[in-house]
């Protein structure tokens, strides 16, 4: 990492370090030297993502004053962190956080397992549920009935089928966000939408501010587009967004784009309230940053008492700051690769024009299927079925993990598809590695961070329930025991065949 992209003040870092004192003590029998305790504290904050990678740390004298320790203690801690690869320094530029070059860095999201592997492996890698039948079949049958007129055309609709664009615009208007069809472009899933947005606004080398943690596949998409990712640490638990941090990053790093999942954030499950949304839009507008709001989880509230805030774009009536992305993949079925962008008409025109050099358009039959769901009320029935599935799975998984792994820490989200778990002081990367050997596939925390943060976490999706959830937790507990005992890469327990 050539340079720092954000900064952590002395008072802020001191608060974060002091918060560690309230956490359960480890098994150590004696206290380490003061410099060692400080170095370990900063290292843990980086690995947990509470201090972003590439964040400039305060000067030694400033931090010493805030912590009421000697400057020598801080200097020795910084030197230890440099020796271990968690700090880089340059004369005149200060010191900024890093991760050791030998650490496994997040690469790609987990690809779904092939169906033939599911008999012996419980797949917690992908946050996706089976199709909500009979609604998929009915939607495809309805689409086939509507297909003949389109079959007499060339089939290329770069902005999307006019009927579907109008239906999506109508649904936004019904949510209190007046929208014209000219403000909608249909895409090949949310990934296709964000890829198009990144290429339009965030050319190679541009900074993109992202939540830390964030959705693994989107982070990788942005990396491959040549973006420089600027992580903004999430607040503790389900409170979500630290607006002061966002203001600081947007002001200091001046990113071209900021990407947020305000509705049941992936992976933490946090839900931004209206005040956070309003302030985030205001901060982006002041910085001249395009705020990309990912709404793929917005309909997946699971508890009856959830009061959903207005969409992020509701706080941008002029349409100059917020670009909204939606999708059928999470709320309906991952195999239905239909997404959309809502933005100002001139932005949509630019996205459509650029599409001639990308994928030309989205499959017509799938667009007709989604349009059938929207126009017949089938969508609401299917999403209600999806909510019921996810709710039952969530409750079963939470109960199983609490029983098998009582030292693991998490908060139960009120919606979405994922549980963000601090794994009792264990390495998420090692748990993922050993989990493959004992028959449970789970993504480690660093996949959801920038440059190796969140080593102490794993993400558990609400994709299994009942006895399968209990077995998944038992296998995770077996993996945890191997990791605790320092198990080697080879050998280990063999997975049992499990038929759901």
């Amino acid at each position: 990492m050539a340079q720092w992209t954000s900064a952590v003040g002395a008072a802020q870092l001191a608060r974060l370090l002091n918060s560690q004192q309230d956490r359960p003590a480890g098994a150590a029998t004696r206290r380490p030297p003061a410099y060692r305790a400080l170095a370990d504290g900063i290292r843990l904050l980086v690995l947990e993502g509470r201090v972003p990678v590439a964040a400039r740390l305060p000067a030694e004298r400033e931090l010493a004053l805030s912590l009421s320790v000697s400057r020598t203690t801080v200097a020795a801690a910084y030197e230890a962190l440099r020796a271990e690869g968690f700090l880089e320094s340059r004369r005149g530029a200060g010191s900024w956080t890093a991760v050791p070059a030998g650490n496994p860095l997040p690469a790609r999201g987990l690809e779904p397992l092939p169906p033939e592997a599911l008999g012996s492996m419980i797949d917690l890698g992908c946050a996706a549920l089976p199709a909500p039948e009979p609604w998929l079949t009915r939607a495809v049958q309805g689409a086939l009935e509507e297909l003949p007129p389109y079959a007499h055309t060339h089939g290329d609709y770069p902005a999307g089928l006019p009927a579907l664009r109008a239906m999506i615009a109508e649904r936004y208007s019904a949510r209190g966000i007046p929208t014209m069809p000219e403000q909608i472009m249909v895409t090949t899933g949310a990934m296709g939408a964000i890829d198009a947005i990144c290429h339009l606004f965030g050319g190679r080398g541009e900074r993109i501010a992202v939540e830390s943690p964030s959705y693994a596949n989107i982070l990788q998409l942005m990396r491959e587009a040549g973006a420089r990712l600027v992580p903004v640490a999430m607040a503790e638990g389900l409170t979500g967004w630290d607006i002061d941090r966002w203001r600081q990053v947007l002001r200091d790093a001046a990113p071209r784009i900021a990407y947020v999942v305000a509705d049941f954030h992936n992976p933490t499950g946090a839900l931004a309230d209206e005040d956070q949304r309003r302030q985030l839009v205001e901060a982006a507008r002041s910085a001249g940053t395009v705020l990309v709001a990912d709404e793929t989880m917005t309909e997946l509230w699971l508890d009856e008492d959830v009061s959903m805030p207005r969409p992020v774009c509701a706080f941008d009536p002029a349409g100059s700051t917020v670009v909204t992305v939606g999708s059928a993949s999470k709320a309906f079925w991952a195999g239905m690769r239909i997404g959309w962008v809502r933005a100002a008409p001139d932005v949509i025109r630019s996205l459509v024009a650029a599409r001639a050099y990308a994928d030309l358009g989205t499959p017509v039959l799938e667009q007709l299927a989604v349009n059938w769901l929207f126009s017949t009320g089938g969508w609401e029935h299917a999403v209600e079925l999806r909510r019921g599935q996810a709710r039952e799975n969530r409750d079963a998984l939470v109960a199983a993990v609490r029983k098998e792994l009582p030292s693991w820490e998490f908060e139960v989200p009120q919606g979405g598809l994922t549980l963000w778990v601090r794994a009792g002081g264990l390495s998420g990367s090692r748990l993922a590695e050993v989990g493959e050997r004992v028959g449970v596939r789970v993504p480690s925390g660093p996949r959801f961070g920038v440059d190796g943060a969140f080593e102490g976490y794993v993400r558990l999706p609400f994709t299994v329930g009942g006895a399968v959830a209990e077995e998944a937790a038992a296998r995770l507990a077996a993996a945890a025991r191997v990791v605790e005992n320092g198990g080697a890469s080879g050998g280990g327990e063999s997975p049992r065949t499990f038929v759901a």
Side-chain angles (χ1 to χ4, degrees), residues 434-450:
V434 176
E436 293 269 357
R437 306 203 313 267
V438 301
V440 61
R441 196 162 182 254
V442 59
S444 63
R447 291 183 178 273
F448 304 91
V450 175

Side-chain angles (χ1 to χ4, degrees), residues 71-91:
R71 183 178 176 181
T72 302
T73 296
V74 177
Y78 278 14
E79 183 57 37
L81 290 168
R82 276 190 288 269
E84 295 162 5
F86 285 94
L87 198 69
E88 295 182 11
S89 303
R90 180 177 300 158
R91 186 177 297 278

Side-chain angles (χ1 to χ4, degrees), residues 5 26 46 56 87 148 240 245 299 327 346 364 462 467-468 495:
T5 56
V46 172
R56 187 180 186 274
L87 198 69
R245 289 183 186 177
E299 295 190 67
S327 171
D346 61 318
V364 170
F462 310 145
V468 186

Side-chain angles (χ1 to χ4, degrees), residues 1 46-47 53-54 98-100 103-106 219 223 229 231 446 449-453:
M1 187 81 60
V46 172
L47 290 176
V53 176
V99 291
N103 268 31
L105 296 181
L219 295 180
R223 291 186 188 100
L229 300 184
V450 175
D451 293 336

Side-chain angles (χ1 to χ4, degrees), residues 119-446:
S120 60
M121 182 73 70
I122 299 176
D123 187 7
L124 298 181
C126 297
L129 288 162
E133 289 288 30
W135 297 104
L136 174 61
T137 298
R138 292 181 182 177
V140 173
Q141 291 171 341
L144 287 172
E145 293 175 3
E146 299 292 333
L147 183 61
Y150 295 94
H152 294 292
T153 73
H154 51 62
D156 287 335
Y157 295 88
L161 295 184
L164 181 55
R165 295 177 72 195
M167 183 60 67
I168 294 170
E170 183 180 316
R171 291 175 65 85
Y172 274 106
S173 297
R175 295 169 65 189
I177 315 297
T179 303
M180 304 178 295
E182 293 79 10
Q183 292 178 261
I184 302 296
M185 181 178 84
V186 180
T187 63
T188 307
M191 293 288 288
I194 293 170
D195 182 57
I197 293 165
C198 287
H199 280 90
L200 178 63
F201 290 108
R204 186 164 293 275
E206 290 279 5
R207 290 187 174 98
I208 300 180
V210 294
E211 297 145 330
S212 184
S214 187
Y215 179 36
N217 287 336
I218 293 296
L219 295 180
Q220 184 60 23
L221 181 155
M222 292 173 175
R223 291 186 188 100
E224 293 188 352
R228 297 173 60 190
L229 300 184
V230 182
V232 185
M234 296 285 284
E236 282 289 287
L238 298 178
T239 56
W241 291 261
D242 186 325
I243 300 301
D244 288 338
R245 289 183 186 177
W246 272 100
R247 285 199 188 96
Q248 181 183 13
V249 168
L250 295 176
R251 181 183 64 246
D252 295 348
R256 186 70 182 92
I257 300 172
Y259 169 76
V260 298
V261 185
D263 300 307
F264 308 119
H265 174 261
N266 186 354
T268 68
L271 176 65
D273 61 33
E274 291 210 354
D275 190 52
Q276 289 173 323
R277 295 169 191 237
R278 179 183 295 104
Q279 292 188 62
L280 192 55
V281 172
E282 290 172 354
R285 184 183 297 117
S286 296
T289 298
V290 175
L291 182 62
V292 179
D294 186 333
E295 286 193 336
T296 52
M297 297 282 189
T298 192
E299 295 190 67
L300 290 177
W301 47 266
L302 304 183
D303 294 337
E304 295 297 332
D305 59 347
V306 176
S307 179
M308 289 300 297
R310 285 177 291 169
V312 174
C313 59
F315 303 98
D316 181 38
S320 59
T321 299
V322 177
V323 175
T324 303
V325 171
S327 171
S329 298
K330 294 297 185 184
F332 185 74
W333 184 47
M336 188 66 76
R337 305 304 305 157
I338 298 295
W340 52 86
V341 178
R342 180 199 181 275
D346 61 318
V347 172
I348 295 297
R349 287 193 293 271
S350 297
L351 289 170
V352 171
R355 199 169 193 182
Y357 309 100
D359 63 356
L360 292 177
T362 302
V364 170
L365 188 62
E366 292 184 24
Q367 292 188 71
L368 289 172
V370 172
N371 192 60
W372 182 92
L373 288 166
F374 285 158
S375 61
T376 63
W379 177 267
E380 283 69 27
H381 289 291
V383 171
E384 183 59 34
L385 181 61
R386 168 67 76 240
R387 289 192 196 109
Q389 280 181 302
R391 184 185 305 114
E392 291 178 6
N393 289 355
R394 178 197 63 181
D395 296 346
L397 185 65
V398 165
V401 172
R402 282 176 171 165
K403 175 185 175 184
E404 297 286 347
L405 295 150
S407 66
W408 287 22
E409 303 171 59
F410 55 85
E411 290 192 44
V412 182
Q414 293 186 294
L417 290 172
T418 55
L419 196 66
W420 185 237
V421 182
R422 182 183 282 127
L426 302 179
S427 161
S429 298
R430 291 287 292 118
L431 283 167
E433 177 192 8
V434 176
E436 293 269 357
R437 306 203 313 267
V438 301
V440 61
R441 196 162 182 254
V442 59
S444 63

